[in-house]
Amino acid sequence: MPEIDRREFLKIAGMTAGAAATVACREPVHKIIPYLNQPDEVTPGIATYYNSTCRECPGGCGIRVKTREGRPLKVDGNPDHPLSKGKLCVRGEFGHMRTYDTARFAGPMKRVVDASGARKLEKITWDEGMTLLVEALRKGSSKTVFLGGAETGTQDALIDQILAAIGSPHRLRFEPFGQEALRSADQIVFGTDAVPQFKIGASDVLIAFGTDFLETWLSPLANQLDFIESRKNGKGFAIFVGPRLGLSGSNADQWLAPNPGSEVLVALALASEVAKRKGGGPEALRGLLAKYTPASVAEKTGVSQATLEGVAARIAAASAPLALPPGVEVQGTNAARFAAAVQILNVVSGAVGKTLVFGPDHNLGKLARFAELRELVGKMRGGEVGVLLVHGSNPAYSAPQVGLSDALHSGNVFTVSFAFAPDETAELADLILPDNTPFESWGDGEPVRGVKTLQQPTVRPLFDTRPTADVLLDAARALGASVPAGSFRDLLVAAWGGRASFDAALGRGGEWKDVAATSVSLAGGVASLDFEPAPLAGNASDPVLVVYPSHHLYDGRLSRVQALHEIPDPVTKTMWGSYAELHPETAAVLDIEMGDVLQIKTEAGELKVAAYPHDTIRPGVIALQVGRGGLPRNPDAPLEPHSYWQRDVIGVNAYSLIPGKLDPQSGALAWLSTHASVSNTKGRAPVLRAQLTFDQQGRGFGMACTTGALAEAEAKHGEGHGESGAEEHHRFGEWSNPHRLHPLPLQGDAAHLPTRQYDPAADAHPDSPYRWGMSIDQDACTGCNACMAACITENNIPVVGPENIRIGREMHWIRIERYVEAADEREVDVRHTPMLCQHCGAAPCESVCPALATYHSKEGLNVMVENRCIGTRFCSNNCPYKARRFNHWSYDWYVPEPENWALNPDVMVRAKGVMEKCTFCVQRINGAKDLARKEDRHVRDGEIATACQQVCPSNAISFGNLRDEAAVVTEARNDVRAYRVLEHLYTRPAVSYLMNIRRVEEA
Amino acid sequence: MGSGKRTAVGLVVAAVCAVVAAAGATGLYQYTPEELTGPEQPIAFNHQIHAGAITDGNLGIPCLYCHGPAERGWNAAVPAVSVCMGCHQYVKQGRTPGSEQEIAKIHEYYDKKESIPWIRVHRVPDYVQFKHMRHVQAGVACQECHGPVQDEKRVYLVPQTRYTKRSFFLPTAKLEMGWCMECHLQRGATDDCVACHY
């Protein structure tokens, strides 16, 4: 027996005890809490769906919200709704995050000034809040003003009624994108200020004058659905006229970039030439059009006569052309006249009555003009306003030109805000009576005549908030005003004809009926107008300042949604910040490099922004996106991996650079009105980019074919038979020249590197009825990022914050890669390639996992078992598509309540040290298989929709069983345009792409 | 061997023995005395009276009457308080001593509009998506995993150890993955990781 001394004995004993103790660790006690009264339609574990309306922008799309046990988890489009048709945009997907905002107003508050003079918010009860409100309204009597946003429907009418009843019918519906110019233009040209339907879906040649129709203009989702419809199979041609190729411009086929402000002359020159080619045009306009010809405007606009004539020829030859009136970014002090010029182009090209239809108009008639807001603020300064009620509008942020803060102070205005979360205007308020968020509210609206959409709550109010309509009704009653009895919900039901018809409408999502088109004719006096380019203040040698709306943040109202800052901007692919975009030539003049901090100054203010030189903006222009630079999201956020950045201000407020010049005719704010003096401070700032270059560098990720080549290939190979259709292609295992086997020429490396033929359906177990695969139509993909948003909300993908993004730790499972092949007057060829895990049959990642955490399943999926992963990251090292993401921190584990209520319980929440990637929404696949098993059958094609497929407004993604000959995805894989990315690496990807179609004359 | 090296070997051997001993014959999962007789619930609900065999004088309510979602959905929930109140708004007295107080507790919760916070006995970790529906439909009796609940006065995790070939015959306790896999392998059910881990 070897001798052990006391010390050694104690060591052994201690270690033994320690080892034994670790094994005795216990799980905490878990509770299981049932319903008190379980509603009939709810089965715990099975989702219940409710129809409602999205309120993230005034578009009014119908949504269907998936709830689990009374909590909304996922927002998708309502398939029955005529505006959204089952799809949703990147903003709408985050509608429920408003409700789960941790820094929301939790109840009524009043503003107090403490001893040191600091302004603070103090919590109060609803009783006290109502008392304060009623007192203020009584004192204010007829000097109360209600400042809201775009609103239609029952609540809108009710607010008018209440204001009239209390003797103060003063109301302004302020929207930064108020379409004032278009309404005035329609009045000038057609004698009615209605905003007509622009039937993009029925048009074959579309020309947009700086119109961001895929981003924020009117109903962007409906526009995208229509736009893609009009471009199926290589049809359609779109021309974008503007200083900067935004998302909408990136999807066009030709880009004209006239001198900023002179776009109005382009519109008239085109109208003149089109009229000439169509036999002269209306008599009344001939004199006017004769003054503006392509030859006479060429110099002022900087666009050559030949180009203008070419575009006009195309429009004249089209059977259903359509010109879209200017968006805000090109709106100068001649805004109304510019829009009128575009409407004149529509008149002479024959669009009116065909693709430009009055009747089913957009209900924007009651929106205030910017001039009216300025007038109101003037009244405040003069002491004519006693009480200001603010709801759904944030002019302190989006209209700094009017000086709201000073006016409220000097005019001694008692301000009440109904905002549900802190915003810049609520910062000025004396009393905050927070409204329920849209997902907690009843409501309705009529965004377009004939489409009446309903909104219902999908969760009980989380905090102590009340519907604004009810607050106003109670206040009016306390003042003794005569308002209808009952709650807002009672009035809403009554407005819809009683309970029975209301419930029926809820089941659909609303009520829609066709509205007959009304005919319009040219108004007199059009011909006597003169059209001048918009004047630009400042030094002519300085770049022109272009401020443009944000696709993700709209006018800034979405800036509290964290994920929208982290999804890369669709054009610049930047995240978490503001960047001044300019052309490399312009940058060279001032010796500016990417990341230099610039000082940009106009008469309205100055800002410091990092520079972002890139090619899809014209020289001589500097562009800034609106939406950022507001309040920090949560100044009290904990210093944890998931939240520390919420204390900071993100980016800059571009609105503050816009001088307050108005278009006298429409009262619109002139967004394009000045040059900006730009100086390089030589400071450096990080530019957070998801993509470092838009050049494919010859690797053939995003391929394209021309319309001519496509027609040839389709004729040769018959309908839809490409690669694996005919016998000639069945040479499995043989290395072969890809050119011979692909009907359309491949590009990049794939064109000259040999590849082996394979059958993708073989990459699954022989007995399995399924081999899951996907097909993505790049020509349909607009790069809108809706798929990224859907994937994030479905799969609990965390937001990692700017610091992690800077070192490349983004977590998105699907990304849109943008490749710019051409962007000029001859052609715009911008390709959007959604890239996700390809579920390769010969996956380089599967064979290198030491823990067997990733493997190829029997159904062909590349499975990631996250709980087995030990974090070597070898798999990501091997992935040629860089589809894998590593959790460097436990992002989602520590999100505070109620934000963690948004997590999907069907998907694992990943902790630190674990790899994750696209799973083809395996939770949905398994769910569908479970239901099919109940009925003792296989899953049918179309029963499974991955999150990205379900939401894609372009229907670009198809998913299904590659072993099913009749499946949509199999047909798409056999299409003439089909190809795989990096196929020559022989990874045998399950994801197939359809080539972009270049609409150029050459074959 | 030098004494330092001896210590090291001794320590390692002792640690291994400690772990194995602690793991014991019941697997790495060590049952607490509480688990072996069932945690004390807010209301002393007696499954034997409600679900026990009619021949023994019990009510014989089928499992799925209260735990219906087990058949229809992915989670088998405990019934809502309204399900209990369905009978107990009339049945104010039971046959066991103390039952009057327990039934009164249900009324208390219902009147206060509070739900009953039951202590959970059968649970798999968050990274497992267990689907009751598939198992019920495949003909797996509730008792196979939950034990003879209809004979239990208080629900507890009935210990059961399995030794699977795939895990080199190391013991696996009830509701550990090896325990589930033994049954899956025997019956030819799926052994695909992604069936449960996603």
Side-chain angles (χ1 to χ4, degrees):
Chain A
M1 182 68 187
E3 280 198 322
I4 301 182
D5 70 7
R6 234 170 293 179
R7 251 182 123 184
E8 282 180 22
F9 174 78
L10 282 173
K11 277 190 215 164
I12 294 172
M15 198 165 155
T16 312
T22 54
V23 180
C25 273
R26 283 291 155 256
E27 282 263 313
V29 168
H30 292 272
K31 297 224 171 107
I32 180 166
I33 303 183
Y35 271 98
L36 188 72
N37 278 309
Q38 189 165 311
D40 285 336
E41 70 265 15
V42 175
T43 305
I46 298 183
T48 330
Y49 295 84
Y50 296 97
N51 287 329
S52 184
T53 302
C54 178
R55 292 284 187 217
E56 300 302 305
C57 87
C61 298
I63 55 176
R64 187 163 285 182
V65 184
K66 168 184 163 190
T67 66
R68 276 279 291 265
E69 288 100 50
R71 285 193 223 143
L73 293 179
K74 179 89 170 45
V75 193
D76 282 301
N78 178 357
D80 299 325
H81 200 272
L83 291 179
S84 55
K85 296 189 186 132
K87 307 293 174 181
L88 204 55
C89 76
V90 65
R91 298 180 292 264
E93 281 286 322
F94 292 110
H96 58 309
M97 298 311 287
R98 302 291 206 169
T99 310
Y100 298 134
D101 188 338
T102 43
R104 252 174 88 179
F105 288 133
M109 304 199 164
K110 75 172 178 199
R111 182 84 53 188
V112 292
V113 182
D114 69 12
S116 62
R119 298 170 78 244
K120 281 206 168 79
L121 282 174
E122 193 185 271
K123 279 205 194 33
I124 55 175
T125 61
W126 270 103
D127 286 335
E128 194 186 332
M130 290 303 294
T131 313
L132 287 170
L133 175 66
V134 171
E135 245 177 68
L137 288 175
R138 208 189 302 269
K139 255 188 9 200
S141 69
S142 63
K143 300 205 291 189
T144 301
V145 176
F146 188 94
L147 179 62
E151 186 124 35
T152 52
T154 310
Q155 175 155 315
D156 185 50
L158 181 64
I159 292 176
D160 277 337
Q161 202 177 356
I162 295 173
L163 290 171
I166 63 173
S168 200
H170 310 298
R171 185 173 175 191
L172 230 62
R173 294 168 183 76
F174 173 67
E175 285 284 332
F177 311 147
Q179 303 302 331
E180 302 101 312
L182 179 57
R183 283 147 57 199
S184 293
D186 286 342
Q187 187 74 47
I188 295 171
V189 179
F190 302 113
T192 163
D193 75 344
V195 175
Q197 272 292 330
F198 291 87
K199 290 196 178 296
I200 295 172
S203 71
D204 57 350
V205 173
L206 184 72
I207 176 162
F209 287 87
T211 326
D212 53 335
F213 60 97
L214 294 181
E215 294 150 86
T216 66
W217 190 70
L218 293 183
S219 210
L221 180 64
N223 292 342
Q224 186 173 346
L225 293 168
D226 287 342
F227 183 64
I228 295 304
E229 194 58 44
S230 75
R231 286 168 76 83
K232 277 208 163 94
N233 298 318
K235 292 194 323 247
F237 194 90
I239 304 144
F240 190 82
V241 182
R244 179 191 170 266
L245 217 51
L247 180 63
S248 313
S250 295
N251 285 289
D253 305 295
Q254 189 177 12
W255 179 28
L256 301 183
N259 295 327
S262 66
E263 296 91 356
V264 57
L265 299 177
V266 170
L268 286 168
L270 289 174
S272 168
E273 187 66 23
V274 168
K276 197 173 89 174
R277 284 162 191 264
K278 284 192 148 194
E283 195 60 52
L285 295 173
R286 284 198 195 166
L288 173 69
L289 294 176
K291 284 195 272 178
Y292 303 93
T293 60
S296 65
V297 306
E299 208 191 304
K300 259 197 187 160
T301 58
V303 182
S304 72
Q305 179 181 351
T307 310
L308 288 171
E309 283 174 355
V311 173
R314 197 185 282 275
I315 297 174
S319 60
L322 178 61
L324 298 180
V328 285
E329 76 190 56
V330 288
Q331 192 171 278
T333 51
N334 65 345
R337 250 165 288 180
F338 183 2
V342 175
Q343 294 295 54
I344 290 173
L345 175 57
N346 276 321
V347 167
V348 302
S349 67
V352 178
K354 231 198 305 195
T355 48
L356 178 65
V357 175
F358 284 83
D361 308 325
H362 293 267
N363 266 330
L364 299 173
K366 294 193 267 182
L367 284 185
R369 296 161 188 275
F370 196 91
E372 291 174 52
L373 178 68
R374 181 168 271 171
E375 226 179 272
L376 171 66
V377 174
K379 285 208 186 111
M380 283 185 207
R381 257 188 270 272
E384 290 170 51
V385 176
V387 180
L388 179 69
L389 306 170
V390 184
H391 177 260
S393 186
N394 193 4
Y397 172 78
S398 52
Q401 300 83 6
V402 300
L404 184 65
S405 159
D406 291 329
L408 289 176
H409 186 74
S410 65
N412 213 0
V413 180
F414 186 79
T415 312
V416 181
S417 169
F418 297 107
F420 40 76
D423 65 34
E424 292 73 11
T425 311
E427 284 286 288
L428 305 170
D430 301 299
L431 179 64
I432 295 178
L433 301 174
D435 192 5
N436 286 344
T437 57
F439 273 49
E440 297 165 331
S441 306
W442 290 99
D444 66 351
E446 197 174 353
V448 171
R449 285 189 64 217
V451 176
K452 288 171 73 177
T453 178
L454 265 174
Q455 179 187 357
Q456 65 174 322
T458 50
V459 67
R460 271 177 190 249
L462 260 59
F463 298 110
D464 189 18
T465 55
R466 282 193 195 172
T468 299
D470 283 317
V471 168
L472 291 174
L473 279 171
D474 288 339
R477 287 181 193 129
L479 289 170
S482 92
V483 287
S487 71
F488 172 63
R489 182 164 177 263
D490 300 331
L491 298 171
L492 181 68
V493 173
W496 280 76
R499 199 52 209 273
S501 64
F502 182 70
D503 284 348
L506 268 184
R508 250 176 286 127
E511 200 180 271
W512 11 99
K513 50 180 197 279
D514 285 320
V515 175
T518 54
S519 65
V520 289
S521 49
L522 205 54
V526 184
S528 56
L529 294 171
D530 72 308
F531 298 81
E532 281 300 313
L536 298 169
N539 202 332
S541 59
D542 283 334
V544 179
L545 177 69
V546 170
V547 179
Y548 65 94
S550 173
H551 176 58
H552 287 170
L553 308 181
Y554 200 72
D555 55 3
R557 65 185 65 185
L558 276 288
S559 64
R560 290 190 71 87
V561 180
Q562 300 290 285
L564 286 172
H565 286 272
E566 197 157 285
I567 298 178
D569 182 80
V571 173
T572 58
K573 297 297 173 195
T574 53
M575 302 171 263
W576 290 112
S578 294
Y579 304 94
E581 299 167 46
L582 65 174
H583 193 268
E585 272 170 37
T586 317
V589 163
L590 298 158
D591 192 26
I592 293 170
E593 276 176 20
M594 168 89 66
D596 281 344
V597 175
L598 307 178
Q599 172 115 334
I600 306 176
K601 204 164 146 177
T602 63
E603 66 188 69
E606 58 186 70
L607 290 173
K608 281 207 171 67
V609 200
Y612 184 98
H614 73 116
D615 284 324
T616 54
I617 184 172
R618 65 156 278 149
V621 160
I622 186 157
L624 273 176
Q625 189 179 104
V626 297
R628 296 175 178 82
L631 295 175
R633 185 175 187 263
N634 184 2
D636 303 315
L639 291 168
E640 297 268 6
H642 67 276
S643 63
Y644 61 88
W645 63 86
Q646 295 182 37
R647 299 176 169 214
D648 302 327
V649 174
I650 309 286
V652 297
N653 183 356
Y655 285 115
S656 60
L657 285 184
I658 304 176
K661 296 196 173 65
L662 302 183
D663 166 25
Q665 200 146 17
S666 63
L669 176 68
W671 287 48
L672 183 71
S673 68
T674 179
H675 295 264
S677 88
V678 178
S679 60
N680 191 347
T681 65
K682 286 299 182 188
R684 298 284 299 164
V687 177
L688 305 180
R689 287 180 286 165
Q691 235 184 294
L692 300 182
T693 174
F694 297 126
D695 177 6
Q696 292 191 65
Q697 294 172 357
R699 280 170 300 169
F701 298 128
M703 298 195 197
C705 60
T706 57
T707 42
L710 178 62
E712 237 182 80
E714 272 179 343
K716 235 190 330 183
H717 290 255
E719 261 281 327
H721 277 289
E723 214 186 359
S724 35
E727 312 73 48
E728 59 183 287
H729 306 310
H730 280 244
R731 294 199 208 98
F732 295 131
E734 222 185 74
W735 291 92
S736 44
N737 181 341
H739 260 307
R740 271 194 301 129
L741 296 164
H742 258 279
L744 287 165
L746 296 176
Q747 295 124 59
D749 289 338
H752 57 87
L753 290 177
T755 187
R756 258 166 115 169
Q757 287 309 294
Y758 61 95
D759 178 12
D763 292 319
H765 196 272
D767 297 337
S768 164
Y770 315 107
R771 197 287 192 234
W772 303 113
M774 186 183 268
S775 168
I776 301 180
D777 185 354
Q778 281 187 106
D779 194 58
C781 177
T782 59
C784 71
N785 291 336
C787 55
M788 291 185 74
C791 181
I792 289 170
T793 47
E794 172 79 12
N795 293 302
N796 304 334
I797 293 177
V799 170
V800 306
E803 197 47 44
N804 279 313
I805 291 290
R806 192 176 64 84
I807 44 184
R809 295 177 174 179
E810 48 165 9
M811 292 305 288
H812 306 127
W813 290 2
I814 185 170
R815 63 180 184 269
I816 313 278
E817 295 179 349
R818 179 173 184 261
Y819 298 115
V820 180
E821 298 295 315
D824 54 36
E825 270 179 17
R826 287 173 304 114
E827 187 191 359
V828 170
D829 185 7
V830 176
R831 303 179 194 174
H832 296 104
T833 308
M835 183 50 64
L836 64 166
C837 171
Q838 307 281 296
H839 291 266
C840 307
C845 60
E846 286 164 5
S847 42
V848 296
C849 177
L852 200 59
T854 184
Y855 68 97
H856 210 69
S857 86
K858 290 195 177 125
E859 295 171 359
L861 281 183
N862 179 309
V863 173
M864 183 66 216
V865 187
E866 285 108 343
N867 47 305
R868 240 183 121 102
C869 175
I870 55 174
T872 56
R873 311 201 282 283
F874 201 161
C875 53
S876 173
N877 186 39
N878 260 21
C879 176
Y881 306 98
K882 284 294 165 272
R884 284 174 164 272
R885 303 280 174 256
F886 186 70
N887 284 281
H888 287 85
W889 300 97
S890 287
Y891 302 111
D892 267 348
W893 273 36
Y894 304 113
V895 293
E897 301 227 330
E899 216 171 294
N900 59 351
W901 293 17
L903 293 173
N904 184 355
D906 289 335
V907 177
M908 234 190 275
V909 174
R910 283 82 57 186
K912 190 196 299 202
V914 156
M915 263 303 187
E916 60 184 55
K917 65 165 187 73
C918 166
T919 56
F920 271 174
C921 279
V922 68
Q923 66 275 13
R924 294 183 179 206
I925 296 176
N926 282 356
K929 276 164 62 188
D930 291 344
L931 293 173
R933 194 70 171 84
K934 249 196 193 175
E935 295 169 25
D936 225 1
R937 59 170 176 81
H938 290 317
V939 177
R940 295 190 200 113
D941 188 39
E943 275 190 336
I944 303 174
T946 56
C948 49
Q949 173 192 14
Q950 185 182 15
V951 81
C952 178
S954 309
N955 277 318
I957 302 179
S958 7
F959 175 82
N961 182 7
L962 285 173
R963 287 189 168 179
D964 179 357
E965 293 288 319
V968 173
V969 66
T970 319
E971 279 176 30
R973 200 175 172 115
N974 293 337
D975 195 282
V976 288
R977 284 192 288 140
Y979 74 98
R980 265 63 55 192
V981 175
L982 296 178
E983 197 168 26
H984 55 279
L985 296 180
Y986 198 60
T987 50
R988 301 171 65 117
V991 179
S992 179
Y993 290 82
L994 297 181
M995 292 184 189
N996 260 45
I997 305 174
R998 294 170 55 206
R999 288 155 176 83
V1000 289
E1001 262 70 60
E1002 71 212 48
Chain B
M1 289 205 287
S3 83
K5 213 171 179 185
R6 230 184 311 163
T7 318
V9 171
L11 283 172
V12 170
V13 168
V16 171
C17 285
V19 171
V20 172
T26 50
L28 275 173
Y29 182 95
Q30 183 79 16
Y31 293 110
T32 57
E34 201 182 57
E35 279 166 327
L36 288 174
T37 50
E40 195 176 320
Q41 301 284 358
I43 298 178
F45 177 73
N46 189 333
H47 267 97
Q48 192 177 41
I49 296 177
H50 293 81
I54 294 183
T55 47
D56 292 340
N58 295 312
L59 295 171
I61 303 175
C63 310
L64 290 173
Y65 177 83
C66 294
H67 299 280
E71 189 186 34
R72 284 178 277 143
W74 289 274
N75 308 4
V78 301
V81 184
S82 54
V83 174
C84 310
M85 285 299 283
C87 289
H88 284 288
Q89 57 184 310
Y90 305 113
V91 179
K92 301 262 172 70
Q93 266 177 335
R95 68 185 76 158
T96 51
S99 58
E100 241 183 80
Q101 289 95 297
E102 296 303 318
I103 294 172
K105 281 190 199 163
I106 310 176
H107 284 264
E108 227 182 275
Y109 275 109
Y110 196 72
D111 294 332
K112 274 196 293 186
K113 292 211 190 325
E114 247 179 55
S115 190
I116 305 170
W118 302 104
I119 308 285
R120 193 160 177 180
V121 176
H122 297 96
R123 187 178 174 272
V124 286
D126 282 335
Y127 46 82
V128 181
Q129 304 277 350
F130 178 75
K131 286 145 312 164
H132 268 95
M133 190 166 79
R134 293 297 292 256
H135 292 81
V136 173
Q137 271 161 24
V140 177
C142 313
Q143 289 77 3
E144 283 192 49
C145 303
H146 293 282
V149 178
Q150 76 276 8
D151 297 328
E152 289 170 15
K153 296 197 176 59
R154 206 152 82 167
V155 177
Y156 64 101
L157 192 60
V158 179
Q160 188 184 52
T161 308
R162 288 179 174 159
Y163 301 84
T164 68
K165 195 161 74 171
R166 207 177 261 197
S167 63
F168 305 106
F169 293 105
L170 283 169
T172 55
K174 178 170 279 194
L175 294 193
E176 285 185 339
M177 180 171 157
W179 187 88
C180 300
M181 287 310 292
E182 169 74 355
C183 213
H184 270 238
L185 295 172
Q186 267 177 14
R187 299 186 197 201
T190 182
D191 64 347
D192 195 357
C193 304
V194 80
C196 308
H197 293 290
Y198 55 86

